[in-house]
Amino acid sequence: MAVVDKAAGAVSWVGDFFIGKTRRFVEETGKVMIFFSESARLIFSKPSRFPEVIKHMEFIGNESIAIISLTGAFTGLALSLQIYLGFKMFNAVNMVGPVVALGITRELGPVLTGLIVAARAGGAMAARLGTMRVNEQIDALDVMGVNTKQYLISPRMLAALICMPLLTAVFDFVAMLGSWFLCVKMVQLDEAIFWQKIRDLIEVKHINEGLFKSAVFGLFFALICTYRGFNTTGGAKGVGDATNQGVVQSMVAIIILDYFLTNLIRLYYNIAGIS
């Protein structure tokens, strides 16, 4: 009987654990969606926060170009080398260019850009807002009659939405330059064939697919990180926890969203009859 009681207790504990986790996840998701709806509808409301949007675009966009370019270049080099070594076994090295281009524009470009910018800019968003919350600066703005979501959240979300496709385009361009350098200058593939194969197989829809994904990623990481920072509690430790949670959850969300967005885009292509 004792063994049965222990087993029943263990099963009950496991059930309570997962039910509790699920309930908290659903509650938190609902709070984030309410936060998003309240902030999104304030983006174009008066008074205009256009200067704030420009300031955050400079932080998210301009200050990320260097790391995006560096990452893009070595991603193109590494991916091209691996695909070249694989295709060389089947005498299909002329297909390295288009395969790299497809992988970069549709998947690696938006995903890696999202992860990098979420870590750099998203973490800074959460830390800045968290510090303002624990120092009661947000409360002071509320007392002065400032709509804090319109002033602090909406400009960051709009800036991320605008900048992410632009940063992804930079990543794609630099990655393809890296691929060209490895294929043409290092392993001596024919340059004309390299570019011709890319032109034959890469379509505008492939590029647009990646840019659309990146815009969604930007909106989500800005939403998650600002939510965590805006609702920080617990002093300095709370700021660190909010920053950590914002970055980790943003990265996980980007990976999960990439899968579902890919399937939704494929479904749209099927419905629209696009091959």
Side-chain angles (χ1 to χ4, degrees), residues 42-249:
L42 294 171
I43 288 178
F44 300 107
S45 62
K46 294 182 182 295
S48 173
R49 301 299 182 185
F50 184 71
E52 290 295 311
V53 175
I54 297 299
K55 181 180 75 173
H56 294 304
M57 285 178 65
E58 194 274 336
F59 173 70
I60 296 171
N62 288 4
E63 294 184 17
S64 297
I65 289 178
I67 189 170
I68 289 296
S69 299
L70 181 65
T71 307
F74 281 95
T75 299
L77 287 166
L79 183 62
S80 298
L81 178 59
Q82 293 298 327
I83 293 177
Y84 170 79
L85 294 175
F87 281 14
K88 188 178 181 181
M89 295 186 293
F90 305 100
N91 196 28
V93 292
N94 288 334
M95 295 301 296
V96 172
V99 172
V100 170
L102 277 174
I104 292 294
T105 56
R106 293 168 66 176
E107 295 295 336
L108 288 179
V111 170
L112 290 180
T113 302
L115 295 177
I116 292 167
V117 180
R120 196 197 74 82
M125 288 181 191
R128 176 68 182 274
L129 292 173
T131 302
M132 292 181 69
R133 172 63 75 185
V134 299
N135 288 338
E136 300 182 350
Q137 291 173 285
I138 294 178
D139 296 329
L141 290 172
D142 286 330
V143 170
M144 290 188 292
V146 177
N147 189 324
T148 49
K149 286 188 174 124
Q150 193 226 8
Y151 180 62
L152 298 173
I153 309 302
S154 298
R156 286 175 165 87
M157 289 172 55
L158 182 58
L161 181 67
I162 295 171
C163 288
M164 279 297 294
L166 301 176
L167 289 172
T168 300
V170 171
F171 186 101
D172 293 349
F173 175 75
V174 176
M176 288 312 301
L177 283 182
S179 177
W180 165 82
F181 180 79
L182 184 131
C183 292
V184 175
K185 300 300 182 181
M186 296 182 67
V187 298
Q188 303 298 314
L189 297 184
D190 186 275
E191 183 173 7
I193 294 177
F194 176 83
W195 291 117
Q196 185 60 49
K197 291 291 185 181
I198 292 176
R199 284 193 294 267
D200 289 344
L201 296 178
I202 301 301
E203 302 177 23
V204 175
K205 69 177 184 180
H206 299 139
I207 299 172
N208 290 340
E209 181 179 334
L211 298 181
F212 170 74
K213 285 182 179 180
S214 66
V216 176
F217 296 159
L219 185 63
F220 266 80
F221 89 69
L223 169 64
I224 293 170
C225 290
T226 53
Y227 172 80
R228 287 298 175 192
F230 194 80
N231 294 285
T232 298
T233 57
K237 181 179 182 300
V239 174
D241 291 341
T243 303
N244 178 65
Q245 290 173 1
V247 171
V248 171
Q249 291 172 1

Side-chain angles (χ1 to χ4, degrees), residues 248-274:
V248 171
Q249 291 172 1
S250 296
M251 289 182 166
V252 173
I254 286 171
I255 299 296
I256 295 172
L257 279 170
D258 179 60
Y259 171 77
F260 286 105
L261 287 174
T262 300
N263 281 285
L264 285 174
I265 292 170
R266 298 278 80 73
L267 178 62
Y268 166 75
Y269 287 165
N270 292 333
I271 293 173
I274 302 174

